[in-house]
Amino acid sequence: MSEIQRPGALYQQVAAAIREAILSGEFEPDALLPSEAQLMARYGVSRPTVRNAIAALRAEGLIDVRHGKGSYVRTSQQPALTLERRITCTTDGTFVMPNGDAWDEAEQPSTYRTRTTTGTGRLLQLGAEEALFGCDRLLIDPSSGTRAMHRTLIPFTTAEGIPLLTEEPSTRPAEIYGLLTQDGQKLTWSETVRARMPLPDERTTLRLPDATPVLHLARVTHGTDGRSLILEELRTGADRAELAYRITADKQPTRRTRA
Amino acid sequence: MSEIQRPGALYQQVAAAIREAILSGEFEPDALLPSEAQLMARYGVSRPTVRNAIAALRAEGLIDVRHGKGSYVRTSQQPALTLERRITCTTDGTFVMPNGDAWDEAEQPSTYRTRTTTGTGRLLQLGAEEALFGCDRLLIDPSSGTRAMHRTLIPFTTAEGIPLLTEEPSTRPAEIYGLLTQDGQKLTWSETVRARMPLPDERTTLRLPDATPVLHLARVTHGTDGRSLILEELRTGADRAELAYRITADKQPTRRTRA
DNA sequence: AGACGTCACTTGTCCTTACGAGTGATGACT
DNA sequence: AGTCATCACTCGTAAGGACAAGTGACGTCT
């Protein structure tokens, strides 16, 4: 019957008490919290109030609830998968960006034709309703089991120069880059990182727990003339994955920096 | 009285119906949804069921609810702030990473002494409980009003070489980098990007709406010998901000790439 | 005209009750 | 011994009622 007071609603007081107990280490990671009935007795409140408090903690990603079992303190896990972006500038001016990610494909890629939306059009520097080739993949990292949704979008204008693309649209991205550089094009990248809550279909296909955002990575590749050639999107759960940009220079860097 | 069926729980059916109405454009962005009473009548369910459905849509970030007013379709806004990371490798080997972000400081920086946690220790390649100088700032982007929490962590071993740091720990990061490179050190960076749900104090200080993740950016700067010199962390709401890495090369890039 | 109280509407909080459904242990039956 | 029904515990869903609190409009009083 530990009494609680102060900040606003009852369920928030209960949530704050439990949260504090978790963060202070009173409940270890993976520990089983008291059941709803026990919390009702402990704080002298009704079941909806307890459930409301628990819902708040779920939304914060602090706990996981299993039907028939109870509430568990979520292990604030280190990410199981680091998407490495190594960017090196060597003395001879060579520019390397290897990417060690080795995904497996969980399904057959599905290819289709579509048109730009406001979002993809902005990234590709195209107007609305421009024709695109699309290819969706479901990727799995074999070592950690992390899933990711991958999408390749190629404007018709890019594909026209590369007959192979229209014939075999499911060509793997790595091979596409080989095709694009065949004619001596120099490529540059622009990677945009965003995070948001998943839509229901993303929750299921990515097998995301509660309160887990998705990392949304969009990579646009430009040719020598600055034209946008291809857009790749990768969506994956932010609970298991992180992005790491490793920036190395052999020469003394010149920079103004802040934050 | 549009009847609904199928997928599992009643409140999920209601939520699915409303979600579909929103995504199909039946309700425009910023539109006012029917009130709880109207939804009760429309679907023939009780108020807890309606509220449960609405809670699900809030958790998805699809709607915003204002006390005394109603539920509004959230405008899927383009980010108001893009944190630019320009990485250029020129022919003469110069390596530039300017950063155009111009934050204002909302408060006086607060400096303190602390110790490494498992997270910060891992990033700084230090053990647990190593002594650190810390400095926290609350930043505001003047054009968009976007807020960010900034933290600088400097190991004692780094600070020892730079007397100015211990005397005036609130030195701005840009100046710190100037001090670090005084002795001809060549710096490299490693930036790690993660996303997660905010803690309550982050929700309030960053003024985050419902179901808004935080982008968590950690930048570790290394000296010539590979030692970790300084750790900067930036936390900001993922609803208004995005990260953009623009990678340019003057020479033909060599790379193996995939996703 | 202006200030202010009231009212109708909204969502927020809290309670009670009831039953459905997943989980694991216990114990009885074969 | 092994199989399986039962039970007690967990959380999930759904309904009902009641009152608090924020919002804005309407109407009355000064």
Side-chain angles (χ1 to χ4, degrees), chain A residues 198-220:
Chain A
L199 294 172
D201 66 306
E202 295 172 323
R203 279 209 50 173
T204 55
T205 56
L206 296 176
R207 304 203 204 289
L208 299 180
D210 279 343
T212 303
V214 286
L215 271 176
H216 190 134
L217 176 67
R219 176 200 286 178
V220 181

Side-chain angles (χ1 to χ4, degrees), chain A residues 9-12 44-49 67-69:
Chain A
L10 242 187
Y11 79 93
Q12 286 175 339
V45 296
S46 71
R47 186 152 174 241
T49 302
H67 189 177
K69 303 289 289 297

Side-chain angles (χ1 to χ4, degrees), chain A residues 255 257, chain B residues 162 172-184 187:
Chain A
R255 38 120 218 69
T257 198
Chain B
I162 308 168
R172 298 169 65 96
E175 301 163 16
I176 293 180
Y177 287 110
L179 295 173
L180 288 175
T181 51
Q182 268 182 340
D183 55 355
L187 305 181

Side-chain angles (χ1 to χ4, degrees), chain A residues 90-109:
Chain A
T90 61
T91 35
D92 61 353
T94 313
F95 189 73
V96 191
M97 182 172 171
N99 193 315
D101 312 334
W103 297 95
D104 283 349
E105 293 192 0
E107 300 174 356
Q108 278 299 319

Side-chain angles (χ1 to χ4, degrees), chain A residues 130-183:
Chain A
E130 295 277 350
L132 300 171
F133 285 112
C135 179
D136 286 357
R137 283 166 227 271
L138 180 58
L139 304 177
I140 292 186
D141 176 55
S143 64
S144 67
T146 307
R147 302 162 87 88
M149 298 166 78
H150 183 273
R151 173 170 293 167
T152 310
L153 291 176
I154 305 177
F156 273 22
T157 49
T158 300
E160 277 164 9
I162 308 167
L164 211 70
L165 275 184
T166 51
E167 294 162 16
E168 188 48 63
S170 69
T171 306
R172 297 168 66 96
E175 301 164 15
I176 294 179
Y177 286 110
L179 295 174
L180 287 174
T181 51
Q182 266 183 342
D183 55 356

